[in-house]
Amino acid sequence: MFSPEGPSFPALVRQALSSVEHGYDLLADTFDATPFRTPDRVLDAVAEALEPLGPFDSGLDVCCGTGAGLAVLRSACAGPTVGVDFSAGMLAEARRAHPGATLVRADALALPFAPVFDLAVSFGAFGHFEPAAQRGLFAQVHASLRPGGTFAFPLPAPPRVGSTPYWTLWGFDAAMRVRNVLWRPPFVMYYRTFRLADVRARLTDAGFGVDLLPVRSLGTREDGSPRCRLVVARKSGRAGAPQTP
């Protein structure tokens, strides 16, 4: 599951018993060697799906971590790209990998930006937000986009009920719930709290119009449905002249 360059088992235990912020500080220098980093094939597929939706000027990667999504922004945006995360350790790794990007340490639930971005993306971070907090997160992204701006992110199809992946995710979430009852500070990371119908409703509540696009290069399931969709949430209004983030 992990490459030799990845974290040791004791390091993972220390992370699991920490807060989310401190846990990622501990994991930062080995994070890209774990399965938790968004795979390049997903990043490339999203970049390809975004291409016909542009052109975009400035871009924001929400909860950017070590910066994997910044490469997507670079391919999609003609203007400046910004990554925001609350882990200093993850941002340090992102700075090494993407020296040309602007990186900001901030809580995604209190983004420090005016409405200056044309495109916002996020990869693999939504499990860190309980359902009630997702509304606040979407509202913050909405406030950071210019009129006509786009918030896009991949949403994989859920595993088939009763399959091994289904029970794996169910077991992980159950273990995290027990851990957070017994141990403080909590470590919020759940895989089954980001369901499509709920996500659409929360994005709509935040003021977005929502479309779903199949990410065709990631294939289809046995029933012909896409393995992954790109959620494309658009802020109403007309884009104005570019501003500096």
Side-chain angles (χ1 to χ4, degrees):
M1 183 176 182
F2 293 91
S3 72
E5 294 78 24
S8 64
F9 180 74
L12 287 173
V13 172
R14 287 195 299 274
Q15 185 214 17
L17 296 178
S18 303
S19 66
V20 178
E21 178 181 353
H22 185 54
Y24 277 103
D25 285 345
L26 293 173
L27 193 62
D29 61 347
T30 57
F31 180 81
D32 284 351
T34 72
F36 308 125
R37 190 235 191 222
T38 303
D40 286 339
R41 65 185 183 88
V42 174
L43 298 171
D44 293 343
V46 170
E48 181 182 358
L50 284 172
E51 186 174 353
L53 304 181
F56 302 103
D57 185 54
S58 56
L60 174 66
D61 186 358
V62 182
C63 304
C64 67
T66 58
L70 291 172
V72 175
L73 288 182
R74 280 204 313 272
S75 71
C77 298
T81 55
V82 177
V84 61
D85 202 279
F86 73 166
S87 166
M90 298 290 270
L91 287 174
E93 296 300 316
R95 191 166 289 110
R96 278 190 276 273
H98 303 276
T102 299
L103 298 171
V104 178
R105 187 182 182 193
D107 187 342
L109 295 177
L111 292 174
F113 305 116
V116 296
F117 296 101
D118 293 292
L119 173 66
V121 297
S122 192
F123 297 91
F126 297 121
H128 293 302
F129 299 89
E130 292 273 17
Q134 291 168 15
R135 297 180 186 277
L137 172 66
F138 294 159
Q140 288 292 302
V141 176
H142 187 274
S144 301
L145 289 169
R146 299 215 319 253
T150 298
F151 179 31
F153 52 87
L155 188 61
R160 181 174 54 82
V161 175
S163 66
T164 298
Y166 173 88
W167 288 116
T168 299
L169 297 184
W170 191 95
F172 180 91
D173 282 12
M176 290 304 295
R177 295 287 183 190
V178 172
R179 177 254 186 244
N180 288 335
V181 168
L182 300 176
W183 193 268
R184 291 289 184 273
F187 191 95
V188 178
M189 182 61 211
Y190 303 112
Y191 285 100
R192 300 175 68 250
T193 58
F194 204 70
R195 295 175 295 191
L196 177 57
D198 298 332
V199 170
R200 293 192 72 156
R202 291 166 192 151
L203 286 167
T204 300
D205 289 347
F208 287 106
V210 183
D211 292 313
L212 300 174
L213 303 179
V215 183
R216 300 190 186 281
S217 60
L218 295 179
T220 58
R221 304 205 295 178
E222 294 176 357
D223 63 359
S225 62
R227 291 187 182 277
C228 183
R229 291 180 172 90
L230 186 69
V231 178
V232 180
R234 292 186 176 92
K235 182 174 180 176
S236 63
R238 201 170 186 181
Q243 303 176 48
T244 302

